[in-house]
Amino acid sequence: MVGDPTGEKLASALGGRTANALRKAFGYVTVGDLLWHLPRRYLQRGELTDLQKLQVGENVTVQAEVASVVNRRMQRRRGSILEVELTDGRSRITVTFFNQHWREKELRIGRSGLFAGQVNRYRGSLQLAHPRYHLFPDGVDDDQAAVQAFAGGIMPVYPASGPLTSWTIADAIRVLLDSLPEVPDPLPQSLLADEGLITRDAALRHIHRPKDLAEVDQARARLAFDEAFTLQLVLAQRRAQTLQHQAIPRASTGGRLLEQFDARLPFTLTSAQLAAGAEIARDLSAREPMQRLLQGDVGSGKTMVALRAMLQVIDAGGQAALLAPTEVLAVQHHRAITAMLGELAQGGRLGGAADATRVALLTGSQRTATRRQELLDITTGQAGIVIGTHALLSEQVQFHDLALVVVDEQHRFGVEQRAALVDKARTGTRPHVLVMTATPIPRTVAMTVFGDLDVTTMREMPAGRIPIATHLVPAQTRPDLLARAWERVREEVQAGHRVFVVCPRIGDGSDDEREFVDPADVGEADEDSQEAPDESPRAASVLQVTAELRQRLPDLHIDMLHGQMSAEDKDAVMRRFARVPTPREHAQGPDRDVQVLVSTTVIEVGVDVPQATMMVIVDADRFGISQLHQLRGRVGRGSEPGLCLLVTNADPQSLAGERLAAVAGTTDGFELAQLDLELRREGDVLGQVQSGRRSSLRLLEVLRDEALITRARVASQRLVAQDPDLQAYPALRAQVIAVAADDRSDYIEKS
Ligand code: ADP
Ligand code: MG
């Protein structure tokens, strides 16, 4: 960008050596890259650390006097080491310098000063390696002016990497700032005034060299606004583009299918379902394509709401597609929806109702003949409802008149996939889109991550649900409880129920489809530490647990389900697990039933087996909060109470232990989602790994910055309404394009 000094190469601003080191460590190339390497925190004015209170790993500034100085040759390597012992009269600490014996001249015994650096432990005692220091004039042992100037103002502490310490980075940034021409501001002046924001130039200078903490706050506010605003602009533009295409209104016709369906419902809809249904019915009647996110806790009855919307569009002459994340789920939706519709789904068949439609199923593993028939029904419009996995996205699939796309469990689908389906509507039109998620998303995240969707939340459960009881089973310390747990599995089965056993991995050597490693497990790794996380012991596997359980409970029918199995096998096992045997089959012996299903998280999403009453999650600490909540949502879906046992070896005091206790403590998915967010780092929430590289969501904390994100959203919509392509703001436009193109920005959709 012409006239923007942040586009300049680091090599010409800093010289080759430093520029090289920065490129190697962080991938930085331009001045802007380095300027956006923001301080992690600040050491405050005069914040001197008592020598007695030093902690390993901390960056500290101490005031002390030189007690002894030794310069010696190193034994194993060439060079010398200068060891200086400091004291404050009570405690001592060593500071060391390599190959800097000339410092001996100034670091003389008795001289006082300030020393700043990171505290390490070396051979049992604390030391500062290569500290920066400022010595008071000879004979002065306290100098408040110097304290203020050195420790003083405020010292930024930067995320460091390898040889690039916080100090080196601070030096490089200081050099840059000293000669940096004014950085232009991409935001409209009027916006700065309205929002009370300082300029980008001021913000960048203040964030690196603040006079006081108020300046830091102002700078952060401005840079965080930039992040929120740019992201919201991307979303606002995307939304504006969608709105350029019109949908065909599919108003409720007082339609026959929907009416007949409602009349046959075996239960009454909850008021949340009715409210969501009314909102969706209204959206579907408009020319503007619906873009709605339906969120509701596991079991709140979202599928019912979606099905009624589908019937509305079929009544209005259109078709609906339901996109499921897994084959198991697609098959199950097909089975459940066909069953719920009864004769209404028997279109064109003997015994079908007059206005009946058909429910087609498309999966990747179908036989060619079946698939051909389904494709035909989709093209001719015979099939009003089409359920499938990503096989639905294939070019071969052509709809007669696709009116509504329902995406179940959105988090498994990316933006391109959604786009592929949306393109299947009649030429020049867009279908209405309903996205369902059972992972309740806090408002702020919904705004940030799903900024282009309207949100409907169902906070009510169908009446008569008995909450699932969840208990921790500490496997190592309480083997008796574990034994009791397996006994309980037998009792459940003997009472005619089904039991899920979930393991973190398959264990077939191909490991492993989805061994789940929660980012929160790793904890908040300090950017300064270069320690690799521990290699944790292998988690329980489906194969091994199945074998063990077959030995322990030989009288039960135990089978397994995992992602390495063929779709046919998966489906067969699911059927044998889910079905209620006919009396005749039962008389033939229960051989064909699966009573205990040992599986990976394949069953995590949406699987509905009403007679499943118990779930045992082995090595539960390997799963994240939301995942555990999803998993246990698979049991207690019928009229019987549900039981979920979390088997773990995690220390109750650890983060993992805390997460498990939270899951055991409440069944409120919204509460857990909030907690999950608090326990994770923001970057993890948004599904991206925070590296040292520039990312577009660094200052923003999705939870803390709700007000800011809301403001940015309003402002971005206003600007896009005035100037959709941001013609008047080329710099801003470039920034928006960069964020939209950033491969990592697909977290906007995927999360
Ligand atoms: P989810 O929101 O998790 O997708 P589902 O739509 O799968 O929930 O519904 C869970 C179960 O509750 C299903 O068996 C469904 O038939 C049943 N259900 C849905 N709505 C109601 C209701 N209003 N009253 C009773 N049961 C309901
Ligand atoms: Mg569901």
CSV table of all heavy atoms in Angstrom, one decimal, residues 353-383:
chain,number,residue,atom,x,y,z
A,353,ALA,N,-51.1,-41.3,1.8
A,353,ALA,CA,-52.1,-40.3,1.9
A,353,ALA,C,-52.1,-39.5,0.6
A,353,ALA,O,-51.1,-39.5,-0.1
A,353,ALA,CB,-51.9,-39.3,3.1
A,354,ALA,N,-53.2,-38.8,0.3
A,354,ALA,CA,-53.4,-38.2,-0.9
A,354,ALA,C,-52.3,-37.1,-1.2
A,354,ALA,O,-51.8,-37.0,-2.3
A,354,ALA,CB,-54.8,-37.5,-1.0
A,355,ASP,N,-52.0,-36.3,-0.2
A,355,ASP,CA,-51.0,-35.3,-0.4
A,355,ASP,C,-49.6,-35.7,0.0
A,355,ASP,O,-48.7,-34.9,0.1
A,355,ASP,CB,-51.4,-34.1,0.4
A,355,ASP,CG,-52.8,-33.6,0.1
A,355,ASP,OD1,-53.0,-33.3,-1.0
A,355,ASP,OD2,-53.6,-33.6,1.0
A,356,ALA,N,-49.4,-37.0,0.1
A,356,ALA,CA,-48.2,-37.5,0.7
A,356,ALA,C,-47.0,-37.1,-0.2
A,356,ALA,O,-47.1,-36.9,-1.4
A,356,ALA,CB,-48.2,-39.0,0.9
A,357,THR,N,-45.8,-37.1,0.5
A,357,THR,CA,-44.6,-36.8,-0.2
A,357,THR,C,-43.7,-38.0,0.0
A,357,THR,O,-44.1,-39.0,0.5
A,357,THR,CB,-43.9,-35.5,0.3
A,357,THR,OG1,-42.8,-35.2,-0.5
A,357,THR,CG2,-43.5,-35.7,1.8
A,358,ARG,N,-42.4,-37.9,-0.5
A,358,ARG,CA,-41.4,-38.9,-0.2
A,358,ARG,C,-40.2,-38.4,0.5
A,358,ARG,O,-39.9,-37.2,0.3
A,358,ARG,CB,-41.0,-39.5,-1.6
A,358,ARG,CG,-41.7,-40.8,-2.1
A,358,ARG,CD,-40.7,-41.6,-2.8
A,358,ARG,NE,-39.7,-42.2,-1.9
A,358,ARG,CZ,-38.4,-42.4,-2.3
A,358,ARG,NH1,-38.0,-42.1,-3.5
A,358,ARG,NH2,-37.5,-42.9,-1.4
A,359,VAL,N,-39.6,-39.2,1.2
A,359,VAL,CA,-38.3,-38.8,1.9
A,359,VAL,C,-37.2,-39.6,1.3
A,359,VAL,O,-37.1,-40.8,1.4
A,359,VAL,CB,-38.4,-39.1,3.4
A,359,VAL,CG1,-37.1,-38.5,4.1
A,359,VAL,CG2,-39.6,-38.5,4.0
A,360,ALA,N,-36.3,-38.9,0.6
A,360,ALA,CA,-35.2,-39.6,-0.1
A,360,ALA,C,-34.0,-39.5,0.8
A,360,ALA,O,-33.8,-38.6,1.7
A,360,ALA,CB,-34.9,-38.9,-1.4
A,361,LEU,N,-33.1,-40.5,0.6
A,361,LEU,CA,-31.9,-40.6,1.4
A,361,LEU,C,-30.7,-40.7,0.4
A,361,LEU,O,-30.7,-41.5,-0.5
A,361,LEU,CB,-31.9,-41.8,2.3
A,361,LEU,CG,-30.6,-42.1,3.1
A,361,LEU,CD1,-30.3,-41.0,4.1
A,361,LEU,CD2,-30.7,-43.4,3.8
A,362,LEU,N,-29.7,-39.9,0.6
A,362,LEU,CA,-28.5,-39.9,-0.2
A,362,LEU,C,-27.3,-40.0,0.6
A,362,LEU,O,-27.0,-39.1,1.4
A,362,LEU,CB,-28.4,-38.6,-1.1
A,362,LEU,CG,-28.9,-38.6,-2.5
A,362,LEU,CD1,-28.3,-37.4,-3.2
A,362,LEU,CD2,-28.6,-39.9,-3.3
A,363,THR,N,-26.5,-41.1,0.5
A,363,THR,CA,-25.3,-41.2,1.3
A,363,THR,C,-24.2,-41.7,0.3
A,363,THR,O,-24.5,-42.2,-0.7
A,363,THR,CB,-25.4,-42.2,2.5
A,363,THR,OG1,-25.6,-43.5,1.9
A,363,THR,CG2,-26.5,-41.8,3.4
A,364,GLY,N,-23.0,-41.5,0.8
A,364,GLY,CA,-21.8,-41.9,-0.1
A,364,GLY,C,-21.8,-43.3,-0.4
A,364,GLY,O,-21.2,-43.7,-1.5
A,365,SER,N,-22.3,-44.2,0.4
A,365,SER,CA,-22.0,-45.6,0.3
A,365,SER,C,-23.2,-46.4,-0.3
A,365,SER,O,-23.3,-47.6,-0.2
A,365,SER,CB,-21.7,-46.2,1.6
A,365,SER,OG,-22.8,-46.0,2.5
A,366,GLN,N,-24.2,-45.6,-0.8
A,366,GLN,CA,-25.4,-46.3,-1.4
A,366,GLN,C,-25.1,-47.2,-2.6
A,366,GLN,O,-24.1,-46.8,-3.4
A,366,GLN,CB,-26.4,-45.3,-1.8
A,366,GLN,CG,-27.5,-45.1,-0.7
A,366,GLN,CD,-28.3,-43.8,-1.0
A,366,GLN,OE1,-27.8,-42.9,-1.7
A,366,GLN,NE2,-29.4,-43.8,-0.5
A,367,ARG,N,-25.9,-48.2,-2.9
A,367,ARG,CA,-25.7,-48.9,-4.1
A,367,ARG,C,-26.1,-48.0,-5.3
A,367,ARG,O,-27.0,-47.2,-5.1
A,367,ARG,CB,-26.6,-50.2,-4.1
A,367,ARG,CG,-25.9,-51.3,-3.3
A,367,ARG,CD,-26.6,-52.6,-3.6
A,367,ARG,NE,-26.6,-53.4,-2.4
A,367,ARG,CZ,-27.6,-53.5,-1.6
A,367,ARG,NH1,-28.7,-52.8,-1.8
A,367,ARG,NH2,-27.5,-54.2,-0.5
A,368,THR,N,-25.6,-48.3,-6.4
A,368,THR,CA,-25.8,-47.4,-7.6
A,368,THR,C,-27.3,-47.4,-8.0
A,368,THR,O,-27.8,-46.3,-8.3
A,368,THR,CB,-25.0,-47.9,-8.8
A,368,THR,OG1,-23.7,-48.3,-8.3
A,368,THR,CG2,-24.8,-46.8,-9.8
A,369,ALA,N,-27.9,-48.6,-7.9
A,369,ALA,CA,-29.3,-48.6,-8.3
A,369,ALA,C,-30.2,-47.8,-7.4
A,369,ALA,O,-31.0,-47.0,-7.8
A,369,ALA,CB,-29.8,-50.0,-8.3
A,370,THR,N,-30.0,-47.9,-6.1
A,370,THR,CA,-30.7,-47.1,-5.1
A,370,THR,C,-30.5,-45.7,-5.3
A,370,THR,O,-31.4,-44.9,-5.3
A,370,THR,CB,-30.2,-47.5,-3.7
A,370,THR,OG1,-30.0,-48.9,-3.6
A,370,THR,CG2,-31.2,-47.0,-2.6
A,371,ARG,N,-29.2,-45.4,-5.5
A,371,ARG,CA,-28.9,-44.0,-5.7
A,371,ARG,C,-29.5,-43.4,-6.9
A,371,ARG,O,-30.0,-42.2,-6.8
A,371,ARG,CB,-27.3,-43.9,-5.8
A,371,ARG,CG,-26.8,-42.5,-5.9
A,371,ARG,CD,-25.3,-42.5,-6.0
A,371,ARG,NE,-24.8,-41.2,-6.3
A,371,ARG,CZ,-24.6,-40.3,-5.5
A,371,ARG,NH1,-24.8,-40.4,-4.2
A,371,ARG,NH2,-24.1,-39.1,-5.9
A,372,ARG,N,-29.6,-44.1,-8.0
A,372,ARG,CA,-30.2,-43.6,-9.2
A,372,ARG,C,-31.6,-43.3,-9.0
A,372,ARG,O,-32.1,-42.3,-9.4
A,372,ARG,CB,-30.0,-44.7,-10.3
A,372,ARG,CG,-30.1,-44.0,-11.7
A,372,ARG,CD,-29.7,-45.0,-12.8
A,372,ARG,NE,-28.3,-45.4,-12.8
A,372,ARG,CZ,-27.9,-46.6,-13.0
A,372,ARG,NH1,-28.7,-47.6,-13.2
A,372,ARG,NH2,-26.6,-46.9,-13.0
A,373,GLN,N,-32.3,-44.2,-8.3
A,373,GLN,CA,-33.7,-44.0,-8.0
A,373,GLN,C,-33.9,-42.7,-7.2
A,373,GLN,O,-34.8,-41.9,-7.5
A,373,GLN,CB,-34.3,-45.2,-7.3
A,373,GLN,CG,-35.8,-45.1,-7.0
A,373,GLN,CD,-36.6,-44.8,-8.3
A,373,GLN,OE1,-36.4,-45.5,-9.3
A,373,GLN,NE2,-37.5,-43.9,-8.3
A,374,GLU,N,-33.1,-42.6,-6.2
A,374,GLU,CA,-33.2,-41.4,-5.3
A,374,GLU,C,-33.0,-40.1,-6.1
A,374,GLU,O,-33.7,-39.1,-6.0
A,374,GLU,CB,-32.2,-41.5,-4.1
A,374,GLU,CG,-32.4,-42.7,-3.2
A,374,GLU,CD,-33.8,-42.7,-2.4
A,374,GLU,OE1,-34.8,-42.8,-3.1
A,374,GLU,OE2,-33.7,-42.5,-1.2
A,375,LEU,N,-31.9,-40.1,-6.9
A,375,LEU,CA,-31.6,-39.0,-7.7
A,375,LEU,C,-32.8,-38.6,-8.6
A,375,LEU,O,-33.1,-37.4,-8.8
A,375,LEU,CB,-30.3,-39.2,-8.6
A,375,LEU,CG,-29.0,-39.2,-7.8
A,375,LEU,CD1,-27.9,-39.6,-8.7
A,375,LEU,CD2,-28.8,-37.8,-7.2
A,376,LEU,N,-33.4,-39.6,-9.2
A,376,LEU,CA,-34.5,-39.3,-10.1
A,376,LEU,C,-35.7,-38.6,-9.3
A,376,LEU,O,-36.2,-37.7,-9.7
A,376,LEU,CB,-35.0,-40.7,-10.6
A,376,LEU,CG,-36.0,-40.5,-11.8
A,376,LEU,CD1,-35.3,-39.9,-13.0
A,376,LEU,CD2,-36.5,-41.9,-12.2
A,377,ASP,N,-36.0,-39.2,-8.1
A,377,ASP,CA,-37.1,-38.6,-7.3
A,377,ASP,C,-36.7,-37.2,-6.9
A,377,ASP,O,-37.7,-36.4,-6.7
A,377,ASP,CB,-37.3,-39.5,-6.0
A,377,ASP,CG,-38.1,-40.7,-6.4
A,377,ASP,OD1,-38.4,-40.9,-7.6
A,377,ASP,OD2,-38.3,-41.5,-5.5
A,378,ILE,N,-35.5,-36.9,-6.7
A,378,ILE,CA,-35.1,-35.6,-6.3
A,378,ILE,C,-35.3,-34.6,-7.5
A,378,ILE,O,-35.8,-33.5,-7.4
A,378,ILE,CB,-33.6,-35.5,-5.9
A,378,ILE,CG1,-33.5,-36.4,-4.6
A,378,ILE,CG2,-33.2,-34.1,-5.5
A,378,ILE,CD1,-32.0,-36.6,-4.2
A,379,THR,N,-34.9,-35.1,-8.7
A,379,THR,CA,-35.0,-34.2,-9.9
A,379,THR,C,-36.4,-34.0,-10.3
A,379,THR,O,-36.8,-32.8,-10.7
A,379,THR,CB,-34.2,-34.9,-11.1
A,379,THR,OG1,-32.9,-35.3,-10.6
A,379,THR,CG2,-34.1,-34.0,-12.2
A,380,THR,N,-37.2,-35.0,-10.1
A,380,THR,CA,-38.6,-34.8,-10.6
A,380,THR,C,-39.5,-34.1,-9.5
A,380,THR,O,-40.6,-33.6,-9.8
A,380,THR,CB,-39.3,-36.1,-10.8
A,380,THR,OG1,-39.3,-36.9,-9.6
A,380,THR,CG2,-38.6,-36.9,-11.9
A,381,GLY,N,-38.9,-34.0,-8.3
A,381,GLY,CA,-39.7,-33.4,-7.2
A,381,GLY,C,-40.6,-34.4,-6.5
A,381,GLY,O,-41.3,-34.0,-5.5
A,382,GLN,N,-40.6,-35.6,-6.9
A,382,GLN,CA,-41.3,-36.7,-6.1
A,382,GLN,C,-40.9,-36.6,-4.6
A,382,GLN,O,-41.8,-36.8,-3.8
A,382,GLN,CB,-41.0,-38.1,-6.7
A,382,GLN,CG,-41.6,-38.4,-8.0
A,382,GLN,CD,-43.0,-38.8,-7.8
A,382,GLN,OE1,-43.5,-39.1,-6.7
A,382,GLN,NE2,-43.8,-38.8,-8.9
A,383,ALA,N,-39.6,-36.5,-4.4
A,383,ALA,CA,-39.1,-36.5,-3.0
A,383,ALA,C,-39.2,-35.0,-2.5
A,383,ALA,O,-38.5,-34.2,-3.0
A,383,ALA,CB,-37.7,-37.0,-3.0
